């Protein structure tokens, strides 16, 4: 495990049912890279997963959302 892996070891995965008490600093957000999943984005903004998907569907999510066809 690298030091960067260890840095995020306490973060639940996107499908986790556990509450996320991660403190999202600017450095932690930058460490995610240029793209992340909408669930992580929701946690960063303090939104529920459902609220994030609803905002994304209305093109009102606080940042750009990339949509990929699942077919």
């Amino acid at each position: 495990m690298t030091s960067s892996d260890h840095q995020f070891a306490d973060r639940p995965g996107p499908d986790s049912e556990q509450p996320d008490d991660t403190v999202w600093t600017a450095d932690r957000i930058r460490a995610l890279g240029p793209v992340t999943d909408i669930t992580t984005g929701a946690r960063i903004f303090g939104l529920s997963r459902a609220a994030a998907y609803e905002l994304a569907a209305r093109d009102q999510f606080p940042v750009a959302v990339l949509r990929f066809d699942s077919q």
Side-chain angles (χ1 to χ4, degrees), residues 33-42 45 52 55-68:
V35 178
T36 192
D37 59 278
I38 196 161
T39 303
T40 301
F45 288 107
L55 288 170
R58 296 187 313 215
D59 293 324
Q60 294 178 343
F61 197 72
V63 295
V65 174
L66 301 174
R67 292 176 173 85
F68 298 94

Side-chain angles (χ1 to χ4, degrees), residues 2-59:
T2 67
S3 63
S4 64
D5 291 336
H6 179 68
Q7 180 181 6
F8 298 106
D10 62 321
R11 190 176 98 206
D15 296 325
S16 174
E17 294 298 321
Q18 299 173 339
D20 184 14
D21 59 359
T22 300
V23 176
W24 287 102
T25 64
D27 287 338
R28 289 191 85 174
I29 294 167
R30 282 187 200 101
L32 292 172
V35 178
T36 192
D37 59 278
I38 196 161
T39 303
T40 301
R43 288 179 178 145
I44 291 168
F45 288 107
L47 301 169
S48 70
R49 185 173 181 263
Y53 277 99
E54 184 176 322
L55 288 170
R58 296 187 313 215
D59 293 324

